[in-house]
PDB file of all heavy atoms in Angstrom:
ATOM      1  N   VAL A   1      27.198  33.461 -34.356  1.00 54.00           N
ATOM      2  CA  VAL A   1      26.332  34.299 -35.191  1.00 54.00           C
ATOM      3  C   VAL A   1      24.910  33.790 -35.297  1.00 54.00           C
ATOM      4  O   VAL A   1      24.041  34.511 -35.726  1.00 54.00           O
ATOM      5  CB  VAL A   1      26.846  34.400 -36.639  1.00 54.00           C
ATOM      6  CG1 VAL A   1      27.133  35.803 -37.030  1.00 54.00           C
ATOM      7  CG2 VAL A   1      27.942  33.470 -36.943  1.00 54.00           C
ATOM      8  N   GLN A   2      24.701  32.527 -34.940  1.00 50.00           N
ATOM      9  CA  GLN A   2      23.348  31.987 -35.050  1.00 50.00           C
ATOM     10  C   GLN A   2      22.417  32.715 -34.074  1.00 50.00           C
ATOM     11  O   GLN A   2      22.650  32.734 -32.883  1.00 50.00           O
ATOM     12  CB  GLN A   2      23.343  30.482 -34.745  1.00 50.00           C
ATOM     13  CG  GLN A   2      24.266  29.665 -35.624  1.00 50.00           C
ATOM     14  CD  GLN A   2      23.939  29.813 -37.079  1.00 50.00           C
ATOM     15  OE1 GLN A   2      22.778  29.775 -37.464  1.00 50.00           O
ATOM     16  NE2 GLN A   2      24.950  29.995 -37.912  1.00 50.00           N
ATOM     17  N   LYS A   3      21.369  33.312 -34.595  1.00 52.00           N
ATOM     18  CA  LYS A   3      20.389  34.025 -33.770  1.00 52.00           C
ATOM     19  C   LYS A   3      19.121  33.180 -33.675  1.00 52.00           C
ATOM     20  O   LYS A   3      18.613  32.693 -34.691  1.00 52.00           O
ATOM     21  CB  LYS A   3      20.059  35.384 -34.396  1.00 52.00           C
ATOM     22  CG  LYS A   3      21.267  36.311 -34.486  1.00 52.00           C
ATOM     23  CD  LYS A   3      21.670  36.814 -33.114  1.00 52.00           C
ATOM     24  CE  LYS A   3      22.678  37.935 -33.210  1.00 52.00           C
ATOM     25  NZ  LYS A   3      23.978  37.514 -33.724  1.00 52.00           N
ATOM     26  N   PHE A   4      18.615  33.021 -32.456  1.00 52.00           N
ATOM     27  CA  PHE A   4      17.408  32.208 -32.303  1.00 52.00           C
ATOM     28  C   PHE A   4      16.162  32.979 -32.695  1.00 52.00           C
ATOM     29  O   PHE A   4      15.921  34.081 -32.230  1.00 52.00           O
ATOM     30  CB  PHE A   4      17.264  31.727 -30.852  1.00 52.00           C
ATOM     31  CG  PHE A   4      15.970  31.005 -30.626  1.00 52.00           C
ATOM     32  CD1 PHE A   4      15.754  29.775 -31.217  1.00 52.00           C
ATOM     33  CD2 PHE A   4      14.960  31.554 -29.856  1.00 52.00           C
ATOM     34  CE1 PHE A   4      14.553  29.097 -31.025  1.00 52.00           C
ATOM     35  CE2 PHE A   4      13.766  30.884 -29.663  1.00 52.00           C
ATOM     36  CZ  PHE A   4      13.570  29.661 -30.246  1.00 52.00           C
ATOM     37  N   GLN A   5      15.398  32.398 -33.584  1.00 61.00           N
ATOM     38  CA  GLN A   5      14.102  32.957 -33.962  1.00 61.00           C
ATOM     39  C   GLN A   5      13.186  31.776 -34.264  1.00 61.00           C
ATOM     40  O   GLN A   5      13.379  31.068 -35.249  1.00 61.00           O
ATOM     41  CB  GLN A   5      14.233  33.862 -35.191  1.00 61.00           C
ATOM     42  CG  GLN A   5      12.906  34.495 -35.579  1.00 61.00           C
ATOM     43  CD  GLN A   5      13.058  35.419 -36.782  1.00 61.00           C
ATOM     44  OE1 GLN A   5      14.138  35.577 -37.317  1.00 61.00           O
ATOM     45  NE2 GLN A   5      11.967  36.023 -37.198  1.00 61.00           N
ATOM     46  N   ALA A   6      12.250  31.540 -33.369  1.00 69.00           N
ATOM     47  CA  ALA A   6      11.368  30.383 -33.523  1.00 69.00           C
ATOM     48  C   ALA A   6      10.624  30.469 -34.847  1.00 69.00           C
ATOM     49  O   ALA A   6      10.146  31.532 -35.240  1.00 69.00           O
ATOM     50  CB  ALA A   6      10.371  30.323 -32.366  1.00 69.00           C
ATOM     51  N   ILE A   7      10.534  29.339 -35.556  1.00 72.00           N
ATOM     52  CA  ILE A   7       9.866  29.342 -36.849  1.00 72.00           C
ATOM     53  C   ILE A   7       8.423  28.877 -36.690  1.00 72.00           C
ATOM     54  O   ILE A   7       8.099  28.069 -35.825  1.00 72.00           O
ATOM     55  CB  ILE A   7      10.590  28.434 -37.857  1.00 72.00           C
ATOM     56  CG1 ILE A   7      10.651  26.976 -37.367  1.00 72.00           C
ATOM     57  CG2 ILE A   7      11.979  28.958 -38.160  1.00 72.00           C
ATOM     58  CD1 ILE A   7      11.185  26.025 -38.395  1.00 72.00           C
ATOM     59  N   ASP A   8       7.586  29.407 -37.538  1.00 77.00           N
ATOM     60  CA  ASP A   8       6.199  28.977 -37.630  1.00 77.00           C
ATOM     61  C   ASP A   8       6.126  28.017 -38.812  1.00 77.00           C
ATOM     62  O   ASP A   8       6.246  28.446 -39.965  1.00 77.00           O
ATOM     63  CB  ASP A   8       5.286  30.181 -37.852  1.00 77.00           C
ATOM     64  CG  ASP A   8       3.820  29.789 -37.943  1.00 77.00           C
ATOM     65  OD1 ASP A   8       3.538  28.601 -38.207  1.00 77.00           O
ATOM     66  OD2 ASP A   8       2.961  30.664 -37.762  1.00 77.00           O
ATOM     67  N   PRO A   9       5.950  26.699 -38.555  1.00 82.00           N
ATOM     68  CA  PRO A   9       5.969  25.730 -39.664  1.00 82.00           C
ATOM     69  C   PRO A   9       4.962  26.055 -40.766  1.00 82.00           C
ATOM     70  O   PRO A   9       5.274  25.934 -41.950  1.00 82.00           O
ATOM     71  CB  PRO A   9       5.631  24.405 -38.972  1.00 82.00           C
ATOM     72  CG  PRO A   9       6.063  24.591 -37.564  1.00 82.00           C
ATOM     73  CD  PRO A   9       5.794  26.041 -37.252  1.00 82.00           C
ATOM     74  N   VAL A  10       3.751  26.477 -40.387  1.00 80.00           N
ATOM     75  CA  VAL A  10       2.715  26.734 -41.388  1.00 80.00           C
ATOM     76  C   VAL A  10       3.078  27.951 -42.245  1.00 80.00           C
ATOM     77  O   VAL A  10       2.854  27.973 -43.450  1.00 80.00           O
ATOM     78  CB  VAL A  10       1.340  26.942 -40.711  1.00 80.00           C
ATOM     79  CG1 VAL A  10       0.268  27.211 -41.748  1.00 80.00           C
ATOM     80  CG2 VAL A  10       0.970  25.719 -39.882  1.00 80.00           C
ATOM     81  N   GLU A  11       3.667  28.952 -41.615  1.00 79.00           N
ATOM     82  CA  GLU A  11       4.043  30.158 -42.348  1.00 79.00           C
ATOM     83  C   GLU A  11       5.285  29.923 -43.215  1.00 79.00           C
ATOM     84  O   GLU A  11       5.373  30.397 -44.348  1.00 79.00           O
ATOM     85  CB  GLU A  11       4.315  31.296 -41.360  1.00 79.00           C
ATOM     86  CG  GLU A  11       4.664  32.620 -42.022  1.00 79.00           C
ATOM     87  CD  GLU A  11       4.888  33.718 -40.991  1.00 79.00           C
ATOM     88  OE1 GLU A  11       4.099  33.806 -40.023  1.00 79.00           O
ATOM     89  OE2 GLU A  11       5.857  34.471 -41.150  1.00 79.00           O
ATOM     90  N   THR A  12       6.241  29.150 -42.677  1.00 81.00           N
ATOM     91  CA  THR A  12       7.498  28.927 -43.391  1.00 81.00           C
ATOM     92  C   THR A  12       7.346  27.914 -44.513  1.00 81.00           C
ATOM     93  O   THR A  12       7.929  28.067 -45.590  1.00 81.00           O
ATOM     94  CB  THR A  12       8.581  28.445 -42.405  1.00 81.00           C
ATOM     95  OG1 THR A  12       8.608  29.307 -41.268  1.00 81.00           O
ATOM     96  CG2 THR A  12       9.954  28.450 -43.061  1.00 81.00           C
ATOM     97  N   PHE A  13       6.570  26.853 -44.269  1.00 86.00           N
ATOM     98  CA  PHE A  13       6.386  25.799 -45.273  1.00 86.00           C
ATOM     99  C   PHE A  13       4.895  25.505 -45.445  1.00 86.00           C
ATOM    100  O   PHE A  13       4.410  24.434 -45.042  1.00 86.00           O
ATOM    101  CB  PHE A  13       7.115  24.523 -44.849  1.00 86.00           C
ATOM    102  CG  PHE A  13       8.609  24.656 -44.785  1.00 86.00           C
ATOM    103  CD1 PHE A  13       9.245  24.821 -43.561  1.00 86.00           C
ATOM    104  CD2 PHE A  13       9.384  24.625 -45.928  1.00 86.00           C
ATOM    105  CE1 PHE A  13      10.618  24.943 -43.484  1.00 86.00           C
ATOM    106  CE2 PHE A  13      10.762  24.744 -45.865  1.00 86.00           C
ATOM    107  CZ  PHE A  13      11.384  24.915 -44.640  1.00 86.00           C
ATOM    108  N   PRO A  14       4.132  26.434 -46.034  1.00 88.00           N
ATOM    109  CA  PRO A  14       2.688  26.211 -46.171  1.00 88.00           C
ATOM    110  C   PRO A  14       2.347  24.990 -47.022  1.00 88.00           C
ATOM    111  O   PRO A  14       1.285  24.386 -46.857  1.00 88.00           O
ATOM    112  CB  PRO A  14       2.202  27.506 -46.845  1.00 88.00           C
ATOM    113  CG  PRO A  14       3.411  28.090 -47.506  1.00 88.00           C
ATOM    114  CD  PRO A  14       4.564  27.713 -46.624  1.00 88.00           C
ATOM    115  N   GLN A  15       3.276  24.592 -47.922  1.00 89.00           N
ATOM    116  CA  GLN A  15       3.007  23.443 -48.791  1.00 89.00           C
ATOM    117  C   GLN A  15       2.915  22.139 -48.010  1.00 89.00           C
ATOM    118  O   GLN A  15       2.394  21.140 -48.512  1.00 89.00           O
ATOM    119  CB  GLN A  15       4.117  23.304 -49.850  1.00 89.00           C
ATOM    120  CG  GLN A  15       4.420  24.572 -50.616  1.00 89.00           C
ATOM    121  CD  GLN A  15       5.565  25.366 -49.993  1.00 89.00           C
ATOM    122  OE1 GLN A  15       5.587  25.555 -48.786  1.00 89.00           O
ATOM    123  NE2 GLN A  15       6.507  25.811 -50.805  1.00 89.00           N
ATOM    124  N   LEU A  16       3.430  22.135 -46.768  1.00 91.00           N
ATOM    125  CA  LEU A  16       3.408  20.913 -45.958  1.00 91.00           C
ATOM    126  C   LEU A  16       2.033  20.601 -45.397  1.00 91.00           C
ATOM    127  O   LEU A  16       1.822  19.527 -44.845  1.00 91.00           O
ATOM    128  CB  LEU A  16       4.390  21.046 -44.787  1.00 91.00           C
ATOM    129  CG  LEU A  16       5.876  20.852 -45.104  1.00 91.00           C
ATOM    130  CD1 LEU A  16       6.729  21.241 -43.920  1.00 91.00           C
ATOM    131  CD2 LEU A  16       6.159  19.416 -45.508  1.00 91.00           C
ATOM    132  N   PHE A  17       1.122  21.561 -45.517  1.00 89.00           N
ATOM    133  CA  PHE A  17      -0.181  21.398 -44.888  1.00 89.00           C
ATOM    134  C   PHE A  17      -1.282  21.550 -45.928  1.00 89.00           C
ATOM    135  O   PHE A  17      -1.131  22.252 -46.918  1.00 89.00           O
ATOM    136  CB  PHE A  17      -0.353  22.419 -43.763  1.00 89.00           C
ATOM    137  CG  PHE A  17       0.751  22.370 -42.748  1.00 89.00           C
ATOM    138  CD1 PHE A  17       1.883  23.152 -42.884  1.00 89.00           C
ATOM    139  CD2 PHE A  17       0.680  21.503 -41.675  1.00 89.00           C
ATOM    140  CE1 PHE A  17       2.918  23.089 -41.973  1.00 89.00           C
ATOM    141  CE2 PHE A  17       1.708  21.427 -40.753  1.00 89.00           C
ATOM    142  CZ  PHE A  17       2.831  22.216 -40.901  1.00 89.00           C
ATOM    143  N   GLY A  18      -2.401  20.902 -45.684  1.00 83.00           N
ATOM    144  CA  GLY A  18      -3.521  20.985 -46.615  1.00 83.00           C
ATOM    145  C   GLY A  18      -4.385  19.752 -46.493  1.00 83.00           C
ATOM    146  O   GLY A  18      -4.067  18.802 -45.766  1.00 83.00           O
ATOM    147  N   THR A  19      -5.478  19.756 -47.230  1.00 82.00           N
ATOM    148  CA  THR A  19      -6.433  18.652 -47.138  1.00 82.00           C
ATOM    149  C   THR A  19      -6.076  17.492 -48.058  1.00 82.00           C
ATOM    150  O   THR A  19      -6.496  16.362 -47.825  1.00 82.00           O
ATOM    151  CB  THR A  19      -7.841  19.159 -47.492  1.00 82.00           C
ATOM    152  OG1 THR A  19      -7.808  19.764 -48.792  1.00 82.00           O
ATOM    153  CG2 THR A  19      -8.306  20.200 -46.480  1.00 82.00           C
ATOM    154  N   VAL A  20      -5.296  17.762 -49.108  1.00 84.00           N
ATOM    155  CA  VAL A  20      -4.962  16.708 -50.068  1.00 84.00           C
ATOM    156  C   VAL A  20      -3.764  15.913 -49.567  1.00 84.00           C
ATOM    157  O   VAL A  20      -2.831  16.469 -48.991  1.00 84.00           O
ATOM    158  CB  VAL A  20      -4.651  17.320 -51.453  1.00 84.00           C
ATOM    159  CG1 VAL A  20      -4.278  16.229 -52.454  1.00 84.00           C
ATOM    160  CG2 VAL A  20      -5.843  18.110 -51.953  1.00 84.00           C
ATOM    161  N   VAL A  21      -3.798  14.604 -49.781  1.00 88.00           N
ATOM    162  CA  VAL A  21      -2.711  13.736 -49.333  1.00 88.00           C
ATOM    163  C   VAL A  21      -1.446  14.062 -50.121  1.00 88.00           C
ATOM    164  O   VAL A  21      -1.487  14.421 -51.294  1.00 88.00           O
ATOM    165  CB  VAL A  21      -3.107  12.256 -49.514  1.00 88.00           C
ATOM    166  CG1 VAL A  21      -3.255  11.882 -50.978  1.00 88.00           C
ATOM    167  CG2 VAL A  21      -2.107  11.340 -48.831  1.00 88.00           C
ATOM    168  N   GLY A  22      -0.276  13.943 -49.449  1.00 91.00           N
ATOM    169  CA  GLY A  22       0.995  14.206 -50.111  1.00 91.00           C
ATOM    170  C   GLY A  22       1.411  13.048 -51.004  1.00 91.00           C
ATOM    171  O   GLY A  22       0.799  11.974 -50.997  1.00 91.00           O
ATOM    172  N   THR A  23       2.471  13.280 -51.784  1.00 93.00           N
ATOM    173  CA  THR A  23       3.021  12.237 -52.642  1.00 93.00           C
ATOM    174  C   THR A  23       4.526  12.208 -52.464  1.00 93.00           C
ATOM    175  O   THR A  23       5.225  13.151 -52.860  1.00 93.00           O
ATOM    176  CB  THR A  23       2.682  12.483 -54.126  1.00 93.00           C
ATOM    177  OG1 THR A  23       1.260  12.515 -54.288  1.00 93.00           O
ATOM    178  CG2 THR A  23       3.256  11.376 -55.002  1.00 93.00           C
ATOM    179  N   LEU A  24       5.040  11.155 -51.865  1.00 93.00           N
ATOM    180  CA  LEU A  24       6.468  11.006 -51.608  1.00 93.00           C
ATOM    181  C   LEU A  24       7.205  10.878 -52.933  1.00 93.00           C
ATOM    182  O   LEU A  24       6.927   9.983 -53.739  1.00 93.00           O
ATOM    183  CB  LEU A  24       6.700   9.775 -50.730  1.00 93.00           C
ATOM    184  CG  LEU A  24       8.130   9.473 -50.318  1.00 93.00           C
ATOM    185  CD1 LEU A  24       8.741  10.630 -49.539  1.00 93.00           C
ATOM    186  CD2 LEU A  24       8.175   8.196 -49.483  1.00 93.00           C
ATOM    187  N   VAL A  25       8.163  11.779 -53.154  1.00 93.00           N
ATOM    188  CA  VAL A  25       8.885  11.847 -54.426  1.00 93.00           C
ATOM    189  C   VAL A  25       9.961  10.770 -54.483  1.00 93.00           C
ATOM    190  O   VAL A  25      10.727  10.587 -53.541  1.00 93.00           O
ATOM    191  CB  VAL A  25       9.534  13.237 -54.600  1.00 93.00           C
ATOM    192  CG1 VAL A  25      10.367  13.290 -55.879  1.00 93.00           C
ATOM    193  CG2 VAL A  25       8.473  14.321 -54.604  1.00 93.00           C
ATOM    194  N   GLY A  26      10.013  10.057 -55.596  1.00 91.00           N
ATOM    195  CA  GLY A  26      11.109   9.135 -55.843  1.00 91.00           C
ATOM    196  C   GLY A  26      10.967   7.742 -55.280  1.00 91.00           C
ATOM    197  O   GLY A  26      11.909   6.949 -55.346  1.00 91.00           O
ATOM    198  N   TYR A  27       9.804   7.413 -54.708  1.00 92.00           N
ATOM    199  CA  TYR A  27       9.615   6.090 -54.105  1.00 92.00           C
ATOM    200  C   TYR A  27       8.288   5.484 -54.554  1.00 92.00           C
ATOM    201  O   TYR A  27       7.291   6.199 -54.697  1.00 92.00           O
ATOM    202  CB  TYR A  27       9.622   6.161 -52.580  1.00 92.00           C
ATOM    203  CG  TYR A  27      10.938   6.632 -51.992  1.00 92.00           C
ATOM    204  CD1 TYR A  27      11.162   7.981 -51.756  1.00 92.00           C
ATOM    205  CD2 TYR A  27      11.943   5.716 -51.670  1.00 92.00           C
ATOM    206  CE1 TYR A  27      12.373   8.411 -51.221  1.00 92.00           C
ATOM    207  CE2 TYR A  27      13.148   6.139 -51.133  1.00 92.00           C
ATOM    208  CZ  TYR A  27      13.356   7.495 -50.908  1.00 92.00           C
ATOM    209  OH  TYR A  27      14.543   7.919 -50.381  1.00 92.00           O
ATOM    210  N   GLN A  28       8.292   4.174 -54.756  1.00 93.00           N
ATOM    211  CA  GLN A  28       7.065   3.421 -55.011  1.00 93.00           C
ATOM    212  C   GLN A  28       7.120   2.128 -54.205  1.00 93.00           C
ATOM    213  O   GLN A  28       8.174   1.499 -54.106  1.00 93.00           O
ATOM    214  CB  GLN A  28       6.909   3.095 -56.504  1.00 93.00           C
ATOM    215  CG  GLN A  28       6.487   4.273 -57.362  1.00 93.00           C
ATOM    216  CD  GLN A  28       6.099   3.848 -58.770  1.00 93.00           C
ATOM    217  OE1 GLN A  28       6.463   2.769 -59.240  1.00 93.00           O
ATOM    218  NE2 GLN A  28       5.349   4.691 -59.450  1.00 93.00           N
ATOM    219  N   ALA A  29       5.970   1.761 -53.648  1.00 93.00           N
ATOM    220  CA  ALA A  29       5.895   0.509 -52.891  1.00 93.00           C
ATOM    221  C   ALA A  29       5.758  -0.654 -53.871  1.00 93.00           C
ATOM    222  O   ALA A  29       4.915  -0.628 -54.767  1.00 93.00           O
ATOM    223  CB  ALA A  29       4.702   0.541 -51.938  1.00 93.00           C
ATOM    224  N   ASN A  30       6.588  -1.648 -53.682  1.00 93.00           N
ATOM    225  CA  ASN A  30       6.550  -2.836 -54.535  1.00 93.00           C
ATOM    226  C   ASN A  30       6.221  -4.037 -53.657  1.00 93.00           C
ATOM    227  O   ASN A  30       6.977  -4.373 -52.745  1.00 93.00           O
ATOM    228  CB  ASN A  30       7.907  -3.013 -55.220  1.00 93.00           C
ATOM    229  CG  ASN A  30       7.875  -4.103 -56.284  1.00 93.00           C
ATOM    230  OD1 ASN A  30       6.810  -4.590 -56.650  1.00 93.00           O
ATOM    231  ND2 ASN A  30       9.033  -4.492 -56.751  1.00 93.00           N
ATOM    232  N   ILE A  31       5.071  -4.652 -53.903  1.00 93.00           N
ATOM    233  CA  ILE A  31       4.622  -5.800 -53.108  1.00 93.00           C
ATOM    234  C   ILE A  31       5.104  -7.078 -53.781  1.00 93.00           C
ATOM    235  O   ILE A  31       4.675  -7.401 -54.895  1.00 93.00           O
ATOM    236  CB  ILE A  31       3.084  -5.825 -52.969  1.00 93.00           C
ATOM    237  CG1 ILE A  31       2.540  -4.451 -52.566  1.00 93.00           C
ATOM    238  CG2 ILE A  31       2.654  -6.905 -51.986  1.00 93.00           C
ATOM    239  CD1 ILE A  31       3.052  -3.937 -51.257  1.00 93.00           C
ATOM    240  N   MET A  32       6.011  -7.785 -53.115  1.00 91.00           N
ATOM    241  CA  MET A  32       6.574  -9.015 -53.671  1.00 91.00           C
ATOM    242  C   MET A  32       5.911 -10.229 -53.013  1.00 91.00           C
ATOM    243  O   MET A  32       5.860 -10.317 -51.781  1.00 91.00           O
ATOM    244  CB  MET A  32       8.084  -9.062 -53.421  1.00 91.00           C
ATOM    245  CG  MET A  32       8.846  -7.866 -53.983  1.00 91.00           C
ATOM    246  SD  MET A  32       8.798  -7.796 -55.791  1.00 91.00           S
ATOM    247  CE  MET A  32       9.760  -9.238 -56.192  1.00 91.00           C
ATOM    248  N   LEU A  33       5.388 -11.148 -53.833  1.00 93.00           N
ATOM    249  CA  LEU A  33       4.739 -12.355 -53.321  1.00 93.00           C
ATOM    250  C   LEU A  33       5.621 -13.577 -53.544  1.00 93.00           C
ATOM    251  O   LEU A  33       6.423 -13.625 -54.482  1.00 93.00           O
ATOM    252  CB  LEU A  33       3.390 -12.572 -54.008  1.00 93.00           C
ATOM    253  CG  LEU A  33       2.337 -11.462 -53.865  1.00 93.00           C
ATOM    254  CD1 LEU A  33       1.012 -11.930 -54.457  1.00 93.00           C
ATOM    255  CD2 LEU A  33       2.158 -11.047 -52.409  1.00 93.00           C
TER     256      LEU A  33
END
């Protein structure tokens, strides 16, 4: 039943693109010395 239809990333997920930097949810970098 799977029908092939190529996706347009920008049209399907417009939030993935833009001029502002993204913010990874749920993670923080911890620098241990």
Side-chain angles (χ1 to χ4, degrees):
V1 240
Q2 303 302 316
K3 298 289 191 292
F4 174 68
Q5 182 179 0
I7 60 172
D8 181 340
V10 180
E11 182 179 317
T12 311
F13 295 101
Q15 309 94 314
L16 282 170
F17 305 91
T19 56
V20 179
V21 66
T23 301
L24 182 59
V25 176
Y27 297 91
Q28 285 191 340
N30 189 11
I31 312 300
M32 303 294 293
L33 300 187

